[in-house]
Each structure stands twice: as structure tokens, then as C-alpha cells.
Amino acid sequence: MWELAGRADISIAFPPFSKVAVAFVSMLFNGEFTAAYADSLPPLLIGLCITIIGGVIIGVSIGLVRSTEWFIMPLLIIFQTAPVSALIPMLTYIYGISDTAKVVAIVILGMPLVALNSYKGIQATSPSLLEMAKSFRASWFDTILFVILPSAQKMIFAGLRLGVSGAFIGIVLAELLITPTGIGDLITYNRFVAHYDKMFATIVSILAVAGLTLGGMSKLEDLLFPSEKNE
Amino acid sequence: MDDIILKTEDVGVIYDRSIVALENVSLNVPTGKLTAILGPSGCGKTTLLKVIAGLIEPSSGTVKIRDKETIGPGPDRALVFQDFALLPWATVLQNVAFGLRAQGVSKREREKTSLTYIKEVGLSGFEDKYPHQLSGGMRQRTGLARALTVNSEILLMDEPFSAVDEQMRRKLQEDLLELLKIENKTVIFVTHSIEEAVYLADQVVILSGRPGSIAEIVYPEIDRLGEIDLIRRQPRYVELVDEIWSSLKSYVE
Ligand SMILES: Nc1ncnc2c1ncn2[C@@H]1O[C@H](COP(=O)(O)OP(=O)(O)OP(=O)(O)O)[C@@H](O)[C@H]1O
Ligand SMILES: [Mg+2]
């Protein structure tokens, strides 16, 4: 499809698949990707760590301690539904053109999704299972460890996948809109000099990295929690 | 006069400040006997059982065990849930061992005890199955085994045989009577079935419709020796079922 559409000369900005593939391979070996990802990966990794750890901790905490709910929930919902990408250019004013701005963009786009899903997972724990734990006088700690967290596990992992996708959007937006470095810059530059094959190759590479990360997470979940156990 | 292990004194429960679910329930439960709680749907049977289990705090009145007031769940009572309340991600063995785990019993010790009770309820060979791989009756037995492991004197059961067909129900009822010959326990169970109450219980507590309060207490005193089918044909049995049926009908109206 893509190949045909490209070959049909619909637009010069839409190169055929074969050209993109060639560009992809050449960029992989001539160091263009290496240089770009060397700029993008460190903030991406830091941002992902904060997104995942912070998101799960915030989501689980508000799920467990109901008194914090009224305060944090509206914030999360606003962050999740508002056009957050519009906020990203504003980060320049606060953090300037820096890796910090990238990390903040990632966290803003990823963490609310992780936190909200973790929270929903915790809230969805069956009241009857909680009553059961109470009737056997399970401690708070045991109840969380053996009842609440296992029952929220699927939702939490679903949130992590959404959050990671959000994080990838965050880093690309940050590099397109504020900090012209790394993979975002590679896209901007190649569009500017009309190397559309290279531009698409870069986009494909991002999709590939994001896809591999998400695939790895699914594998990890299967490994940690064999699916037979959570049918 | 029997030895009374548990009593409720003037227990009342009001949900959401306006729904009166129970009113002035004073009930004596004799040690080592089976007490059935019978009544129309929504009359507060589950509520009463949960008050006794310590899961619901009564709005008024108290629950006393051996004349000592109790607050919250205790080691002297174990509850078998109507909806089983099994952890879906845990095996039969892990589910049965949950109560012991909550008490901090070592893994070796709790698995040993759990296996004994898994055998006693007839689930040997299913230790490593997950709840979704079990039939309704087997889930019920898993919940029963879990309640037995903690070795409490009082066993509370909420409609223990409602999730199974008639054949399985009779089998489970007989198994329960057999089991109670081995385990010396006081049992309080909720049921919809008059036959079940008369067949199993030493004392049948009939609750009237909302707000639930004790309408009548019947002591079946059925002779349970001999063939099950013969027992069910005893004149005393048939008479009691009829009697309870007609009084229940009057409370529903
Ligand atoms: N958590 C609750 N909040 C408000 N009302 C409740 C709650 N639980 C029960 N009720 C009400 O209290 C009454 C008694 O409920 P309960 O579950 O004890 O009845 P039941 O006799 O066990 O009924 P069933 O035979 O259908 O199981 C019902 O009218 C029910 O609607
Ligand atoms: Mg009920």
C-alpha cells in the first residue's frame, strides 16, 4: 500500500517504502541514528523511570488512602484530558532549552495515565475479597500485598503501556517544539532540507523503539505473572 | 438448658441512616449445634450473619461470645461466603491457606494443614487448580476448607449450598453433617430453603420481612439416624416443613 502510494507520485513528501528502507539502513550505519538517540535516550530513560515509579506510587497511594483522592484526582483528570501538548512550549519559559524540559514533557504526558490506571485498578478490588481478608483478620500490609495489588495488576500494567506511549509522544514533542536536538531534531532537519525519506526513516525508528519497549514490557509481565494465574 | 456459646442482644442495623435492615434481634446459639437463619429475600439474613462475623458493626445492641462482648472479626469465628470470595489468581491450596497466612503461620505448616482440610472436603487432586477451573460446588468446598483451617469454634455460612444443583446440594449437606461429626463446631448458616433448614438444623430462626426481626424459633428435633430419604419422609419432618412454610407466607404478606 505504502509502496504503491509512494510510487504513484501523490506527493514528494510521501516517499515510497523502498526509499525509506534504504534511508533507514544507511542512517543506522552512518551514525545519524546513534548521534540522535545518544541525545534523546538519556532524558527518555530518566523520564520513563519517573513516569513509571512515580505514576504507580501516586496511583496506588490515592487508591489506598481515600482522603487524598479529592485533591489529586481532579489534577490527574485535567492532565489526562486537557490538550497537554499545548503546555509543552511553555516549558521553555521555565526550564529553557534543556534535558530537564524533555524529562518534564515526558512525565507530564506519561505519568497521569499510569497514576490514573493504577488508581482505578486499586479501586476495582472486589469488596467481597476485601471483606474476606478482613474476616480472617489479615493485616493491612497482607491485604495490600495478597489481595489489592494482585487484583490491580492488570490495570496497572495497562496503565504502564499507555504511560510509555505517552512518554514517547512527550519526548518527540519536546524535541520538535522546544529543544531541537536528538530524534526530534532529526525529523525537523530532514523535513527542512526535504529529505523526506530520511524523515520517515526516523519516524519509523521511533515507532520501532516504542514498539520494542512495549513488547518487552508485555514479555516482562508474562514472565512475572504467568497468565494462567490471572485468568 | 444448653450451653450458649454466642448470643446477640437487641441487635439493630440501619444502613445509610434510613434503611432499617435489622431490629431487636436477640438470639441464643447453643454450643455444638446447628442454627439455621431462614427468611424472605432481603429480610436481613446476610446482614445478621455479617454482624455476628464482626464485618458489620451493629447500629445498636451487641454480639457476645461466652458472655464477652466482641468487636470486629475474631479467631473464634470463620465465615464461608455466599459468593465464595476466592482469590482468582491463587490456586486452591493458596486460597485455602489464606487464613493461616494472614495469621503468620509458616508456609510449610499452613500447607500441611490446608492439605488436610482439602482432603476432608473432598478436593484432593485439585490443589493446584485455579478457581475458574472449578465447578460451583468445588469453589464452595474451597471456601469451606479455608474456613476450617483456622480452627475456629464457630462456623458461619451464608447460603452455602445455593450455587449448586439439587443433587450436589444433597451431597454437600450430607458431607457437612459427616464433617461435623469429626469437627466439633457450632454452625450458623443462612438459607432460603425450608427443607434444608429442617433437615440440617437443631434450631431454625425465622426472620420476618423488613425490618428483619425474629418472628419465631423452631426446634426440629429430627431423628437423623438412618437413611437420608427415610428422614425426609418422617411425619415430623413433613409437618415441620409445612408449619414453617405457612408462617413464612404470613410474613411475606
Ligand atoms: N451495604 C448496604 N447498604 C444499604 N442497604 C443495604 C446494604 N446491604 C444490604 N442492604 C439492605 O438491607 C436489607 C437486608 O439485606 P441482606 O443482604 O441482609 O438481606 P438477605 O436476607 O441476606 O437477602 P437475600 O435473601 O436476598 O440474600 C435489604 O433490603 C438490602 O437492600
Ligand atoms: Mg443474603
Side-chain angles (χ1 to χ4, degrees):
Chain A
M1 277 290 279
W2 183 359
E3 183 71 27
L4 286 177
R7 290 227 173 272
D9 281 336
I10 295 173
S11 152
I12 187 157
F14 200 68
F17 178 73
S18 53
K19 285 186 82 175
V20 173
V22 170
F24 187 91
V25 173
S26 79
M27 290 170 86
L28 193 59
F29 291 106
N30 72 5
E32 280 182 73
F33 278 163
T34 321
Y37 278 97
D39 273 343
S40 298
L41 280 185
L44 180 62
L45 286 179
I46 296 171
L48 275 179
C49 284
I50 299 177
T51 295
I52 289 173
I53 297 170
V56 171
I57 290 177
I58 292 176
V60 169
S61 317
I62 51 175
L64 292 175
V65 188
R66 300 297 289 269
S67 50
T68 54
E69 201 177 334
W70 66 272
F71 170 68
I72 304 182
M73 275 305 281
L75 279 180
L76 283 182
I77 291 178
I78 289 169
F79 264 110
Q80 200 205 11
T81 51
V84 181
S85 13
L87 279 177
I88 288 182
M90 279 175 52
L91 293 175
T92 328
Y93 294 113
I94 310 170
Y95 299 103
I97 297 176
S98 65
D99 276 4
T100 317
K102 294 187 193 175
V103 171
V104 173
I106 291 169
V107 171
I108 285 180
L109 276 153
M111 198 152 81
L113 297 167
V114 178
L116 211 60
N117 274 272
S118 304
Y119 164 82
K120 281 186 196 154
I122 299 286
Q123 283 296 290
T125 308
S126 139
S128 132
L129 290 184
L130 292 174
E131 231 173 23
M132 187 279 290
K134 189 181 168 197
S135 85
F136 286 105
R137 292 169 305 130
S139 65
W140 201 62
F141 182 77
D142 279 357
T143 306
I144 293 173
L145 202 61
F146 301 125
V147 179
I148 298 177
L149 285 182
S151 97
Q153 175 233 322
K154 283 210 153 161
M155 281 289 276
I156 293 178
F157 269 85
L160 289 183
R161 282 190 287 272
L162 289 173
V164 169
S165 311
F168 274 92
I169 297 173
I171 183 105
V172 173
L173 282 181
E175 290 180 347
L176 286 175
L177 300 174
I178 30 175
T179 315
T181 49
I183 37 175
D185 181 49
L186 206 54
I187 295 174
T188 319
Y189 172 78
N190 282 312
R191 190 179 57 188
F192 187 68
V193 298
H195 282 160
Y196 295 111
D197 50 350
K198 284 193 169 187
M199 183 185 98
F200 275 104
T202 311
I203 294 172
V204 168
S205 80
I206 297 168
L207 294 178
V209 173
L212 284 177
T213 311
L214 290 172
M217 287 173 59
S218 292
K219 278 274 184 303
L220 187 70
E221 185 184 2
D222 286 346
L223 208 69
L224 292 176
F225 310 98
S227 64
E228 192 190 14
K229 289 193 182 183
N230 42 49
E231 280 295 305
Chain B
M1 190 63 208
D2 282 313
D3 180 23
I4 301 299
I5 188 167
L6 179 144
K7 57 175 135 183
T8 66
E9 288 180 349
D10 276 327
V11 163
V13 173
I14 301 173
Y15 285 117
D16 306 329
R17 290 169 191 220
S18 58
I19 305 163
V20 184
L22 287 178
E23 210 173 50
N24 295 326
V25 174
S26 297
L27 173 66
N28 286 343
V29 177
T31 312
K33 297 284 164 71
L34 271 91
T35 297
I37 299 170
L38 190 68
S41 196
C43 72
K45 302 183 294 294
T46 297
T47 305
L48 178 57
L49 203 68
K50 285 187 177 169
V51 168
I52 292 172
L55 292 173
I56 295 176
E57 200 185 326
S59 316
S60 59
T62 53
V63 176
K64 288 182 175 170
I65 291 177
R66 298 217 161 83
D67 285 323
K68 268 178 69 184
E69 195 175 329
T70 63
I71 296 161
D76 37 30
R77 285 152 291 156
L79 180 59
V80 182
F81 289 80
Q82 182 172 3
D83 62 353
F84 320 127
L86 301 176
L87 305 171
W89 53 84
T91 61
V92 167
L93 180 59
Q94 290 165 337
N95 267 296
V96 171
F98 183 88
L100 293 173
R101 174 179 231 163
Q103 292 179 3
V105 176
S106 76
K107 189 177 158 87
R108 255 185 64 119
E109 198 60 21
R110 66 175 187 253
E111 288 193 345
K112 200 175 138 225
T113 312
S114 300
L115 286 172
T116 314
Y117 285 103
I118 287 175
K119 193 170 169 211
E120 209 163 279
V121 301
L123 278 180
S124 295
F126 293 92
E127 296 84 358
D128 297 325
K129 293 274 184 279
Y130 291 91
H132 73 272
Q133 298 170 310
L134 305 177
S135 69
M138 291 160 94
R139 290 179 206 179
Q140 192 64 260
R141 288 159 187 257
T142 308
L144 177 61
R146 178 177 60 195
L148 292 173
T149 56
V150 293
N151 201 20
S152 54
E153 301 164 90
I154 305 171
L155 191 60
L156 308 170
M157 301 196 283
D158 195 354
E159 304 199 23
F161 312 120
S162 60
V164 294
D165 61 37
E166 186 60 31
Q167 246 176 318
M168 178 54 74
R169 176 198 297 256
R170 291 199 180 188
K171 167 121 184 54
L172 288 174
Q173 289 169 350
E174 281 151 33
D175 287 355
L176 179 70
L177 287 178
E178 284 302 312
L179 197 73
L180 291 175
K181 284 183 193 159
I182 314 169
E183 305 275 330
N184 184 29
K185 289 195 190 299
T186 304
V187 176
I188 306 173
F189 72 99
V190 165
T191 181
H192 266 133
S193 157
I194 300 171
E195 285 84 0
E196 182 168 288
V198 173
Y199 175 56
L200 292 176
D202 301 296
Q203 166 179 252
V204 180
V205 179
I206 302 168
L207 294 185
S208 64
R210 257 178 61 192
S213 55
I214 297 182
E216 204 180 328
I217 298 182
V218 177
Y219 303 90
E221 289 169 349
I222 295 281
D223 179 10
R224 290 205 189 79
L225 296 171
E227 281 285 316
I228 315 303
D229 294 319
L230 290 181
I231 296 171
R232 288 183 203 266
R233 269 183 239 129
Q234 278 178 32
R236 166 96 182 129
Y237 176 90
V238 179
E239 205 175 283
L240 270 173
V241 169
D242 275 349
E243 186 190 318
I244 295 175
W245 174 230
S246 51
S247 59
L248 261 184
K249 260 198 297 201
S250 67
Y251 305 127
V252 174
E253 265 129 43

